[in-house]
Amino acid sequence: MDVLNLYKETGALLEGHFLLRSGRHSPKFLQSTTLLQHPLYAEAVGQAMGELFDTLELDFVIGPAMGGVVLAFVTAKALGVRALFAEKDGQGGMRVREGLTIHPGERFLAVEDVVTTGGSVQQAIRAAEAKGARCVAVGAIVDRSAGRAEFSAPYRSLVQLDFPTYAPETCPLCQRGEPLQEV
């Protein structure tokens, strides 16, 4: 599957000057919600993600809200397990929403659309582990960390991209006066 082409076809690969959730700036941004709003593309991505992890014994797939909700669902569907999500807890972390059941000892896959630092998916992992579950793998559609994101479980992505990112104080786009877009 040519994941980058799916982003291009759906207008989900943006160019400009973007403030990433990590706080860094980048001239390119992947708007996964634009891609995943198309059910056929979302299912194809979920199937491809499922194939990366189909040898694992899993009880559920979890993703951080909002970006990981659809991805967790389509990946879980491909794997034949439950789909859960973690949401912000109002204290700088995440929690598993009441009504979504996790039993101690359950094994899970954590997924994220795009990993830059891995911070959001790490919070989702901690939320599930706080309920006694065990993360056995981490997956992403796109790894834009250039292999620098580290997790306590094996990590795989459908594609690895190396878009440049900059600290705000050294950003050449800021220095040129290009307007910054929050995403």
Side-chain angles (χ1 to χ4, degrees), residues 78-138:
L79 291 167
V81 299
R82 296 189 331 270
L84 307 178
F85 65 92
E87 61 188 0
K88 291 182 180 180
D89 65 6
Q91 299 170 28
M94 288 191 175
R95 67 180 178 92
V96 176
R97 177 174 279 212
E98 193 173 321
L100 299 177
T101 305
I102 295 177
H103 301 286
E106 286 191 308
R107 297 163 47 93
F108 69 93
L109 165 65
V111 296
E112 177 68 293
D113 55 348
V114 178
V115 167
T116 301
T117 64
S120 294
V121 74
Q122 291 279 25
Q123 289 182 337
I125 290 168
R126 284 193 290 275
E129 288 177 339
K131 301 274 188 183
R134 190 176 76 134
C135 182
V136 296
V138 179

XYZ file of all heavy atoms in Angstrom, residues 78-138:
442
model
N -9.755 -5.282 11.812
C -8.912 -6.164 11.004
C -8.342 -7.315 11.834
O -8.139 -8.415 11.321
C -7.777 -5.366 10.368
N -8.101 -7.063 13.125
C -7.506 -8.073 14.003
C -8.554 -8.896 14.749
O -8.209 -9.875 15.420
C -6.562 -7.406 14.998
C -5.285 -6.827 14.383
C -4.574 -5.925 15.376
C -4.368 -7.944 13.905
N -9.817 -8.481 14.693
C -10.880 -9.217 15.374
C -10.878 -9.060 16.880
O -11.233 -9.999 17.609
N -10.487 -7.862 17.352
C -10.462 -7.593 18.794
C -11.223 -6.299 19.091
O -11.717 -5.638 18.178
C -9.002 -7.503 19.329
C -8.263 -8.826 19.116
C -8.242 -6.348 18.663
N -11.307 -5.927 20.379
C -11.999 -4.697 20.787
C -11.182 -3.459 20.414
O -9.964 -3.504 20.348
C -12.232 -4.699 22.306
C -13.134 -5.803 22.769
C -13.556 -5.700 24.241
N -12.687 -5.059 25.167
C -11.717 -5.675 25.875
N -11.486 -6.951 25.710
N -11.001 -5.008 26.746
N -11.893 -2.351 20.243
C -11.274 -1.057 19.963
C -11.584 -0.103 21.108
O -12.751 0.095 21.452
C -11.803 -0.485 18.657
N -10.542 0.476 21.692
C -10.692 1.431 22.792
C -9.954 2.714 22.454
O -9.155 2.762 21.523
C -10.114 0.844 24.089
C -10.615 -0.525 24.534
C -9.895 -0.952 25.799
C -12.105 -0.520 24.740
N -10.214 3.749 23.251
C -9.431 4.970 23.104
C -9.196 5.591 24.468
O -9.918 5.331 25.428
C -10.103 5.973 22.156
C -11.412 6.513 22.645
C -11.458 7.681 23.388
C -12.599 5.866 22.344
C -12.669 8.194 23.832
C -13.814 6.369 22.772
C -13.849 7.528 23.532
N -8.149 6.391 24.526
C -7.825 7.148 25.731
C -8.053 8.616 25.406
O -7.765 9.068 24.300
C -6.384 6.901 26.153
N -8.573 9.348 26.395
C -8.849 10.771 26.185
C -8.136 11.587 27.249
O -7.734 11.057 28.290
C -10.348 11.031 26.227
C -10.985 10.672 27.552
C -12.501 10.752 27.525
O -13.089 11.080 26.484
O -13.100 10.482 28.571
N -7.993 12.871 26.984
C -7.323 13.753 27.951
C -8.051 13.709 29.277
O -9.281 13.703 29.326
C -7.252 15.179 27.419
C -6.317 15.295 26.242
C -6.208 16.716 25.744
C -5.254 16.740 24.556
N -5.085 18.066 24.022
N -7.271 13.710 30.358
C -7.862 13.628 31.698
C -7.975 14.986 32.389
O -8.411 15.067 33.525
C -7.082 12.647 32.578
C -5.651 13.092 32.860
O -5.255 14.219 32.483
O -4.914 12.285 33.471
N -7.559 16.072 31.720
C -7.635 17.403 32.305
C -6.478 17.726 33.234
O -6.413 18.808 33.808
N -5.554 16.777 33.398
C -4.403 16.982 34.282
C -3.088 16.742 33.542
O -2.072 16.447 34.167
C -4.514 16.056 35.488
C -5.761 16.314 36.311
C -5.975 15.230 37.359
O -5.050 14.609 37.834
N -7.229 15.007 37.705
N -3.127 16.811 32.219
C -1.917 16.634 31.429
C -1.657 15.197 30.995
O -0.677 14.925 30.319
N -2.537 14.285 31.363
C -2.396 12.888 30.955
C -3.615 12.430 30.204
O -4.386 13.235 29.686
N -3.809 11.117 30.164
C -4.980 10.539 29.514
C -5.578 9.481 30.415
O -4.910 8.952 31.296
C -4.606 9.905 28.168
C -4.292 10.902 27.101
S -4.189 10.104 25.488
C -3.969 11.553 24.473
N -6.848 9.194 30.147
C -7.557 8.145 30.870
C -8.403 7.367 29.879
O -8.737 7.867 28.804
C -8.449 8.739 31.953
C -9.603 9.560 31.403
C -10.474 10.150 32.505
N -11.535 10.953 31.935
C -12.745 10.503 31.639
N -13.060 9.255 31.850
N -13.661 11.302 31.134
N -8.724 6.139 30.267
C -9.636 5.344 29.461
C -11.040 5.710 29.909
O -11.348 5.686 31.104
C -9.369 3.835 29.647
C -10.379 3.007 28.883
C -7.949 3.496 29.208
N -11.866 6.077 28.962
C -13.226 6.529 29.267
C -14.009 5.456 30.013
O -13.924 4.275 29.699
C -13.951 6.898 27.985
C -15.407 7.312 28.239
C -16.036 7.797 27.005
N -15.596 9.171 26.853
C -16.341 10.114 26.298
N -17.528 9.833 25.842
N -15.893 11.327 26.196
N -14.789 5.909 30.998
C -15.662 5.000 31.745
C -16.580 4.278 30.766
O -17.089 4.859 29.819
C -16.492 5.816 32.742
C -17.178 4.974 33.767
C -17.838 5.835 34.829
O -17.246 6.859 35.229
O -18.941 5.468 35.247
N -16.768 2.994 30.994
C -17.592 2.187 30.101
C -16.772 1.368 29.122
O -17.276 0.410 28.536
N -15.528 1.761 28.909
C -14.612 0.967 28.082
C -13.857 0.047 29.038
O -13.114 0.511 29.885
C -13.654 1.861 27.302
C -14.304 2.839 26.322
C -13.246 3.714 25.665
C -15.111 2.098 25.266
N -14.059 -1.228 28.896
C -13.569 -2.191 29.873
C -12.175 -2.700 29.537
O -11.907 -3.106 28.405
C -14.523 -3.403 29.944
O -15.833 -2.913 30.213
C -14.105 -4.380 31.016
N -11.316 -2.672 30.535
C -9.992 -3.283 30.467
C -9.851 -4.178 31.687
O -10.069 -3.732 32.819
C -8.870 -2.228 30.450
C -8.957 -1.381 29.172
C -7.506 -2.895 30.576
C -7.932 -0.272 29.094
N -9.476 -5.424 31.435
C -9.258 -6.376 32.514
C -7.760 -6.518 32.770
O -6.974 -6.545 31.813
C -9.854 -7.738 32.168
C -11.326 -7.688 31.911
N -12.250 -7.540 32.929
C -12.037 -7.736 30.758
C -13.460 -7.514 32.410
N -13.362 -7.618 31.087
N -7.356 -6.628 34.039
C -5.934 -6.840 34.338
C -5.397 -8.052 33.575
O -6.076 -9.071 33.450
C -5.917 -7.087 35.848
C -7.145 -6.388 36.351
C -8.172 -6.564 35.259
N -4.211 -7.890 33.032
C -3.565 -8.968 32.296
C -3.855 -8.980 30.804
O -3.222 -9.731 30.054
N -4.803 -8.163 30.339
C -5.091 -8.134 28.906
C -3.891 -7.555 28.146
O -3.165 -6.706 28.650
C -6.352 -7.326 28.611
C -7.619 -8.053 28.992
C -8.859 -7.379 28.479
O -9.033 -6.158 28.711
O -9.674 -8.068 27.842
N -3.738 -8.031 26.917
C -2.640 -7.614 26.045
C -3.197 -6.682 24.966
O -4.247 -6.956 24.401
C -2.008 -8.847 25.405
C -1.384 -9.799 26.406
C -1.124 -11.178 25.825
N -0.474 -11.178 24.543
C 0.845 -11.259 24.357
N 1.638 -11.372 25.396
N 1.351 -11.250 23.128
N -2.452 -5.610 24.698
C -2.980 -4.655 23.722
C -1.916 -4.101 22.788
O -0.720 -4.125 23.078
C -3.716 -3.506 24.425
C -2.842 -2.556 25.207
C -2.350 -1.390 24.630
C -2.531 -2.807 26.534
C -1.564 -0.501 25.349
C -1.757 -1.931 27.267
C -1.264 -0.773 26.672
N -2.413 -3.604 21.663
C -1.650 -2.861 20.674
C -2.070 -1.403 20.805
O -3.264 -1.107 20.818
C -1.982 -3.386 19.269
C -1.555 -2.526 18.067
C -0.045 -2.432 17.974
C -2.153 -3.101 16.781
N -1.098 -0.502 20.893
C -1.381 0.935 20.914
C -1.065 1.493 19.529
O -0.020 1.168 18.956
C -0.540 1.632 21.971
N -1.974 2.315 18.979
C -1.775 2.867 17.640
C -1.936 4.378 17.637
O -2.640 4.952 18.455
C -2.745 2.240 16.610
C -2.481 0.752 16.445
C -4.201 2.502 16.957
N -1.264 4.985 16.675
C -1.322 6.432 16.472
C -1.227 6.678 14.973
O -0.604 5.886 14.257
C -0.163 7.101 17.216
C -0.046 8.590 17.034
C -1.164 9.400 17.654
O -2.314 9.281 17.162
O -0.917 10.158 18.585
N -1.834 7.763 14.514
C -1.771 8.051 13.086
C -0.359 8.455 12.668
O 0.241 7.836 11.807
C -2.824 9.085 12.667
C -2.757 10.389 13.443
O -2.052 10.465 14.477
O -3.427 11.347 13.017
N 0.172 9.506 13.283
C 1.511 9.990 12.956
C 2.303 10.127 14.245
O 1.852 10.785 15.187
C 1.455 11.354 12.223
C 2.851 11.869 11.922
C 0.632 11.239 10.934
N 3.481 9.523 14.291
C 4.349 9.638 15.457
C 5.483 10.593 15.126
O 6.231 10.384 14.170
C 4.921 8.260 15.875
C 6.052 8.411 16.878
C 3.815 7.387 16.456
N 5.585 11.670 15.915
C 6.711 12.595 15.814
C 7.608 12.384 17.030
O 8.779 12.071 16.895
C 6.237 14.057 15.721
O 5.400 14.192 14.569
C 7.417 15.006 15.595
N 7.038 12.537 18.222
C 7.791 12.257 19.453
C 7.265 11.009 20.149
O 7.959 10.425 20.969
C 7.708 13.438 20.442
O 6.349 13.603 20.855
C 8.242 14.719 19.812
N 6.023 10.635 19.864
C 5.404 9.482 20.513
C 4.677 9.828 21.792
O 4.151 8.941 22.464
N 4.609 11.103 22.134
C 4.023 11.523 23.405
C 2.569 11.130 23.594
O 2.190 10.639 24.659
N 1.723 11.333 22.598
C 0.295 11.031 22.743
C 0.050 9.538 22.916
O -0.726 9.120 23.778
C -0.489 11.531 21.528
O -0.461 12.930 21.467
N 0.704 8.727 22.104
C 0.484 7.288 22.218
C 1.081 6.756 23.526
O 0.538 5.830 24.128
C 0.981 6.534 20.958
C 2.492 6.443 20.896
C 0.349 5.161 20.873
N 2.158 7.374 24.012
C 2.717 6.984 25.316
C 1.689 7.223 26.425
O 1.558 6.408 27.340
C 3.989 7.789 25.638
C 5.167 7.452 24.768
C 5.904 6.201 25.212
O 5.362 5.319 25.852
N 7.154 6.112 24.837
N 0.966 8.333 26.336
C -0.063 8.618 27.345
C -1.198 7.605 27.278
O -1.726 7.180 28.308
C -0.600 10.035 27.178
C 0.390 11.096 27.590
C -0.190 12.486 27.455
O -1.134 12.725 26.695
N 0.353 13.419 28.206
N -1.583 7.203 26.076
C -2.629 6.183 25.922
C -2.156 4.849 26.499
O -2.923 4.136 27.155
C -3.013 6.026 24.453
N -0.897 4.523 26.271
C -0.325 3.294 26.826
C -0.390 3.331 28.346
O -0.830 2.368 28.991
C 1.128 3.100 26.336
C 1.137 2.770 24.841
C 1.848 2.017 27.151
C 2.519 2.849 24.193
N 0.040 4.445 28.943
C 0.013 4.564 30.418
C -1.404 4.436 30.966
O -1.622 3.819 32.017
C 0.653 5.886 30.855
C 2.172 5.872 30.778
C 2.803 7.055 31.491
N 2.591 8.317 30.813
C 3.360 8.776 29.826
N 4.377 8.078 29.391
N 3.101 9.930 29.281
N -2.383 4.993 30.240
C -3.780 4.910 30.692
C -4.263 3.461 30.719
O -4.940 3.038 31.669
C -4.680 5.760 29.798
N -3.918 2.685 29.706
C -4.325 1.272 29.664
C -3.536 0.448 30.688
O -4.097 -0.437 31.341
C -4.138 0.708 28.264
N -2.263 0.756 30.829
C -1.446 0.022 31.799
C -1.900 0.304 33.227
O -1.798 -0.563 34.092
C 0.032 0.348 31.613
C 0.609 -0.283 30.353
C 2.061 0.080 30.087
O 2.551 1.120 30.616
O 2.719 -0.671 29.326
N -2.438 1.492 33.470
C -2.948 1.831 34.806
C -4.131 0.945 35.181
O -4.437 0.779 36.364
C -3.351 3.306 34.861
N -4.787 0.360 34.188
C -5.906 -0.560 34.422
C -5.426 -2.016 34.498
O -6.230 -2.930 34.590
C -6.939 -0.446 33.295
C -7.521 0.937 33.132
C -8.677 1.113 34.046
C -9.388 2.424 33.735
N -10.468 2.661 34.660
N -4.103 -2.222 34.406
C -3.544 -3.562 34.537
C -3.269 -4.297 33.241
O -2.878 -5.457 33.253
N -3.460 -3.630 32.093
C -3.200 -4.270 30.803
C -1.716 -4.136 30.449
O -0.982 -3.345 31.055
C -4.062 -3.633 29.718
N -1.289 -4.904 29.446
C 0.117 -4.906 29.052
C 0.252 -4.592 27.570
O -0.337 -5.270 26.719
C 0.732 -6.268 29.338
C 2.240 -6.276 29.174
C 2.763 -7.612 29.566
N 2.461 -8.520 28.470
C 3.322 -9.381 27.961
N 4.494 -9.524 28.476
N 2.977 -10.146 26.958
N 1.018 -3.559 27.269
C 1.276 -3.170 25.878
C 2.291 -4.148 25.288
O 3.399 -4.287 25.796
C 1.817 -1.743 25.811
S 2.098 -1.164 24.120
N 1.904 -4.804 24.185
C 2.808 -5.754 23.544
C 3.364 -5.234 22.223
O 4.314 -5.800 21.693
C 2.148 -7.136 23.352
C 1.836 -7.765 24.696
C 0.914 -7.058 22.492
N 2.793 -4.132 21.702
C 3.314 -3.526 20.476
C 2.714 -2.141 20.293
O 1.659 -1.828 20.852
C 3.000 -4.401 19.265
N 3.417 -1.337 19.496
C 2.980 0.016 19.161
C 3.056 0.147 17.644
O 4.039 -0.289 17.027
C 3.871 1.080 19.831
C 3.414 2.490 19.462
C 3.908 0.891 21.342
